[in-house]
Amino acid sequence: MAQRTTADQTMSRAELGAYLVELADEFDRGGEDIDVGVGNKTVTLHPPDDVSVSIDVVEQSSMLRGQRETVDVKLSWKPDRQ
């Protein structure tokens, strides 16, 4: 059974930077668990020492829709414990 927690929001560049630093600090502190803020909820995860990382950047130009840039960062792993 999959459990998904999703939140879509708009942040300023400064707010996004602070959020990403907070997430990086969670991974960097080296504890067993990390806490990830998703909207108004906090999810506790259990990453191992090595995490798979995928980064996808799309630069798109369209006569009708204008320009759009997208960055997708995907982190995935099998938990050390459940």
Side-chain angles (χ1 to χ4, degrees), residues 22-36 42-49 77 79-82:
E22 184 179 318
L23 183 60
D25 287 345
E26 283 291 317
F27 277 94
D28 197 38
R29 73 182 160 86
E32 282 187 24
D33 299 338
I34 64 167
D35 293 325
V36 178
T42 300
V43 179
T44 300
L45 301 172
H46 319 286
D49 289 336
W77 60 84
D80 278 340
R81 63 184 178 94
Q82 298 178 13

Side-chain angles (χ1 to χ4, degrees), residues 41-59:
K41 183 177 179 181
T42 300
V43 179
T44 300
L45 301 172
H46 319 286
D49 289 336
D50 293 317
V51 173
S52 295
V53 180
S54 175
I55 300 175
D56 182 39
V57 176
V58 177
E59 299 170 277

